[in-house]
Amino acid sequence: MTWQISRRSLLRGSAAAAGAGLLQACAGTPAGQNAAQMRPQPQPKPRQPKTSGNNVLRIIASSGFAPEPARAQAGINLLQYAGFAVTNQEAAFRRFQRFAGSDAERIADVQDVATGRAATPKVLMGMRGGYGAHRLLPHIDFASLGARMREHGTLFFGFSDVCALQLALLAQGGWLSFAGPMVYSEFGKPVPSSYTMDSFIRCTTNPGYTVSVPAMQRHDLHIEGMLWGGNLSVLSALAGSPYMPDIKGGILFIEDVGEQPYRIERMLQTLLLAGVLQKQQAVVLGDFRMGSIRDVYDSSYDLSAVTAAVSRAAKIPVLTGFPFGHIADKTTFPLGAHAQIRSDGNGGYTVAFSGYPTLDKNSLSLDNLMPQTAFDTGITQSVIEEKADSE
């Protein structure tokens, strides 16, 4: 059965949950009660679920460290509450310089699975993004890792800097992964996004998944092939290396954050000069969270000007508005799986995914991920800061 989800369909519910947390955090303290008395009291940590073989989740901390250890713990608690047996938890609390541990420690998070020193889990999940995954790539046997993941139907979730590992896995191990939420970045939020949690559940428990994109497009679309990609900065940095997938006839997905339009174009030009874009049927842009970012030399040179220039140069359509990036409400979807893109008759488009591994929902309690139950895990409500969505 194929599930379809629209970004708009859950926006109201997500906003309501976030608004509740905001009001709670900003409300005044009644006379005679201090802030500590008013703050929601943490509940006991959930017990680690028993291992069923279909519920083991291993944390990978390949990039930046967790600035707030309590938030990392909250993410672990919520995943346990959803029925995952979370392993390698210590990785979420390591720090060496700006990284989540030394290079050797961060390599071991992945290489121990590749070599069999650690059992192959059902889920590999990035802790957060930042920077650091590139340093690990030469030290990981991605062919062996991909073979073990294929045998066990392992799902690997991450985005931002973590996609360096996902791209290398596709390039050298031939196994797909998922653009999706991470331990610290999404599951550890004070109020997890309803849209993000619902998308994670629907995508990972159904063999087919369709995302509707209402953003107006100039193209009549009828495309199918492997959809792959990730963060644009990471992709451009891997160009010409053995860790960049060589995909012909594919659909390239990209997203980034905090970049001026000319820098986005320069990175796309890097992929063009490297011959990557010309091999694709289309490029799909996620949310670049441009906000007030303007080109310092020409404020009229915006993302739409960039997409038009790149589309002309590569002679392929560049689609916009896909709901993923360094944003609160992000869809979960497979990278390296088959996708069909079709115009929806209203100016937008749909992307239908198939051919990817799924979770056994009977061995998990995934409904517990939804915000109305999230506070049972000991997550303290607070104002959600925009920067929390960046990695």
Side-chain angles (χ1 to χ4, degrees):
M1 181 178 183
T2 298
W3 284 89
Q4 184 168 350
I5 185 167
S6 169
R7 182 181 178 85
R8 289 175 175 171
S9 66
L10 284 162
L11 187 58
R12 183 175 301 174
S14 180
L22 182 63
L23 289 173
Q24 177 82 9
C26 296
T29 302
Q33 290 185 310
N34 59 36
Q37 290 173 322
M38 290 296 295
R39 187 179 301 122
Q41 295 301 305
Q43 300 297 315
K45 294 180 182 178
R47 292 182 179 179
Q48 176 83 319
K50 293 182 179 179
T51 300
S52 68
N54 292 315
N55 70 338
V56 178
L57 182 154
R58 180 177 174 86
I59 295 174
I60 291 176
S62 61
S63 305
F65 68 92
E68 302 173 37
R71 178 167 168 171
Q73 185 63 60
I76 293 171
N77 291 352
L78 181 57
L79 288 164
Q80 289 179 335
Y81 192 50
F84 290 104
V86 182
T87 64
N88 201 34
Q89 294 187 27
E90 61 276 10
F93 306 101
R94 298 183 313 228
R95 179 175 180 179
F96 174 75
Q97 297 175 342
R98 63 170 293 129
F99 309 108
S102 66
D103 286 3
E105 289 173 322
R106 293 181 295 123
I107 290 166
D109 288 351
V110 186
Q111 182 66 358
D112 280 0
V113 177
T115 60
R117 283 194 293 268
T120 306
K122 184 61 179 177
V123 172
L124 289 170
M125 183 174 287
M127 194 269 289
R128 59 158 293 196
Y131 166 71
H134 279 74
R135 296 169 63 158
L136 315 184
L137 300 182
H139 307 286
I140 296 171
D141 185 346
F142 287 101
S144 177
L145 177 65
R148 291 178 185 275
M149 291 176 64
R150 185 179 293 106
E151 179 183 357
H152 292 83
T154 300
L155 290 72
F156 179 5
F157 297 95
F159 72 103
S160 190
D161 193 62
V162 178
C163 82
L165 299 176
Q166 296 175 310
L167 289 164
L169 178 64
L170 183 60
Q172 298 198 346
W175 187 236
L176 55 79
S177 57
F178 288 79
M182 297 189 286
V183 177
Y184 182 92
S185 307
E186 281 74 40
F187 293 104
K189 279 187 174 181
V191 182
S193 159
S194 294
Y195 179 91
T196 300
M197 295 298 104
D198 185 80
S199 176
F200 176 81
I201 295 168
R202 290 181 183 274
C203 177
T204 60
T205 58
N206 292 282
Y209 184 66
T210 300
V211 180
S212 295
V213 184
M216 297 296 290
Q217 309 296 314
R218 295 191 299 260
H219 310 280
D220 184 23
L221 303 168
H222 196 279
I223 305 167
E224 61 181 288
M226 178 191 291
L227 191 145
W228 66 287
N231 181 265
L232 179 56
S233 297
V234 174
L235 278 159
S236 63
L238 290 178
S241 79
Y243 307 106
M244 171 66 104
D246 183 14
I247 308 298
K248 300 177 178 65
I251 302 164
L252 177 61
F253 167 79
I254 55 176
E255 59 82 21
D256 216 315
V257 63
E259 298 287 359
Q260 290 189 47
Y262 84 91
R263 290 177 59 84
I264 294 172
E265 180 175 327
R266 183 162 60 191
M267 289 185 283
L268 286 168
Q269 288 289 346
T270 297
L271 298 181
L272 183 70
L273 294 172
V276 175
L277 297 187
Q278 299 92 318
K279 296 178 183 179
Q280 310 309 309
Q281 298 184 66
V283 173
V284 176
L285 300 185
D287 194 313
F288 280 68
R289 222 174 83 184
M290 299 300 292
S292 61
I293 296 175
R294 298 290 183 271
D295 190 290
V296 295
Y297 293 106
D298 181 0
S299 61
S300 68
Y301 195 74
D302 56 13
L303 188 59
S304 63
V306 171
T307 58
V310 171
S311 182
R312 286 194 302 268
K315 297 180 175 59
I316 56 175
V318 178
L319 313 179
T320 60
F322 194 85
F324 191 89
H326 292 66
I327 53 176
D329 297 334
K330 54 174 64 69
T331 191
T332 296
F333 64 100
L335 295 166
H338 185 78
Q340 293 183 335
I341 300 180
R342 301 287 187 268
S343 298
D344 65 5
N346 298 310
Y349 63 99
T350 61
V351 185
F353 298 95
S354 60
Y356 55 86
T358 58
L359 298 174
D360 179 7
K361 58 184 176 183
N362 294 322
S363 67
L364 298 164
S365 303
L366 295 178
D367 287 344
N368 288 346
L369 294 174
M370 297 304 291
Q372 61 265 28
T373 58
F375 296 110
D376 292 338
T377 66
I379 301 171
T380 301
Q381 290 178 296
S382 66
V383 178
I384 302 175
E385 299 181 10
E386 184 72 12
K387 67 179 182 180
D389 299 319
S390 63
E391 294 171 348

